[in-house]
Amino acid sequence: MKANVVYLSHGGGPLPLLGDPSHRAMVRFMKQLGEDLPRPKAIVVVSAHWEEEIPTLTASPTPPLVYDYYGFPKEAYEITYPATGSPSLAKKIANLLGNAVLDENRGFDHGMFIPLSLMYPDATIPTLQLSLLSSLSAAEHWRLGEKLRPLLDEEILFIGSGFSFHNMRQFWKEDDEQNHVFQDFLIEACCVDTATQNRKQALIQWEKAPYARYCHPREEHLLPLLVCQSLAGGAADLIFDDKIIERRAVAFHWS
């Protein structure tokens, strides 16, 4: 396995790049992560901020940025990240998936350019995004990861960009036991060395975990984790376990 697979919590909109103090731990982590990982030849990002009926890939050689957040200072809309796309890799992935769409107009959303601005500020690694499915089906996202497995032999960094806690009404409040219990569930599901079928069952049935719907009233920020775990197969390493916007959040790495 030459590829590396990472699921990370990407923070609140552009705040990590605007000096927000509640993102300091996350910013330190992502800057160090870019130095620690082997430098990939290409990056594939599955972002929580893009949903389509069928799998869709950015296919432009020069995707623009999508400032998909609202109400922030002017500088939040002046962020640049001029990474090139990878149309050839997009076509290869589309062939693996079988029913995918190549979108030559769609740009990079903040689920891509926020973490990559911290990890690889030189913006010289060809990158593409793969959408989530608007069905939000856990089983369908698990199958999506399975279909990507032939790419594990290539020097690609796969990033599932979401947030392991994503209850918008509860951010900026003091962290609570409900969140800690759910984060511990994710750590056990991904990091404990167990049978593949047990891991798959735990994550596909994530809604049965304690406080699952409290932490994820809508699951789009969790589903990139399922794609990553299914793609990688084995146990993950816990590489971040700290607070972001006053809430405990985690990140995982598979190599």
Side-chain angles (χ1 to χ4, degrees):
M1 178 173 168
K2 298 178 183 177
N4 281 269
V5 183
V6 173
Y7 170 78
L8 49 78
S9 297
H10 62 231
L15 291 175
L17 301 186
L18 300 180
D20 178 71
S22 70
H23 287 78
R24 285 175 184 160
M26 187 200 105
V27 169
R28 285 195 303 270
F29 155 70
M30 288 190 181
K31 287 181 176 180
Q32 188 62 47
L33 183 62
E35 296 181 9
D36 291 344
L37 290 173
R39 192 169 179 87
K41 293 183 176 178
I43 300 172
V44 177
V45 178
V46 181
S47 169
H49 295 282
W50 187 19
E51 300 171 24
E52 299 287 352
E53 289 187 9
I54 59 177
T56 307
L57 297 133
T58 56
S60 168
T62 55
L65 298 191
V66 179
Y67 301 108
D68 54 338
Y69 39 69
Y70 307 94
F72 291 96
K74 180 182 177 183
E75 55 264 36
Y77 306 93
E78 296 172 344
I79 294 169
T80 60
Y81 193 75
T84 62
S86 184
S88 60
L89 180 57
K91 290 178 183 177
K92 187 172 185 176
I93 293 175
N95 288 334
L96 285 175
L97 298 180
N99 66 335
V101 170
L102 297 174
D103 189 332
E104 297 182 357
N105 298 312
R106 215 272 182 180
F108 295 138
D109 61 52
H110 79 271
M112 176 277 196
F113 67 78
I114 295 300
L116 291 192
S117 291
L118 296 167
M119 294 173 65
Y120 302 109
D122 56 6
T124 58
I125 303 173
T127 303
L128 62 87
Q129 281 193 225
L130 169 63
S131 74
L132 295 177
L133 301 170
S134 55
S135 67
L136 301 183
S137 162
E140 287 182 14
H141 286 87
W142 190 271
R143 287 193 290 272
L144 194 61
E146 289 177 332
K147 291 180 180 179
L148 295 172
R149 286 179 185 171
L151 295 172
L152 290 175
D153 291 331
E154 303 192 21
E155 295 176 56
I156 297 172
L157 171 60
F158 292 91
I159 297 178
S161 181
F163 211 135
S164 62
F165 175 89
H166 200 258
N167 184 332
M168 295 296 288
R169 294 184 178 183
Q170 297 298 324
F171 276 126
W172 288 280
K173 295 182 180 180
E174 185 176 349
D175 206 4
D176 49 43
E177 184 63 21
Q178 293 99 310
N179 182 38
H180 282 277
V181 169
F182 186 74
Q183 301 306 310
D184 289 340
F185 158 75
L186 293 179
I187 293 169
E188 181 174 359
C190 295
C191 298
V192 174
D193 194 8
T194 184
T196 300
Q197 187 60 33
N198 293 345
R199 199 185 313 279
K200 177 179 178 180
Q201 183 176 1
L203 289 172
I204 287 180
Q205 298 180 358
W206 69 272
E207 290 176 272
K208 295 183 178 180
Y211 309 114
R213 279 299 178 187
Y214 168 77
C215 294
H216 290 277
R218 193 174 187 274
E219 53 263 58
E220 79 285 350
H221 276 71
L222 185 65
L223 291 173
L225 170 60
L226 272 69
V227 177
C228 288
Q229 179 62 77
S230 173
L231 166 61
D237 292 320
L238 178 67
I239 55 173
F240 179 85
D241 187 354
D242 209 326
K243 287 188 177 181
I244 304 174
I245 324 179
E246 306 307 324
R247 290 287 169 168
R248 182 185 177 198
V250 295
F252 301 109
H253 173 227
W254 299 259
S255 61

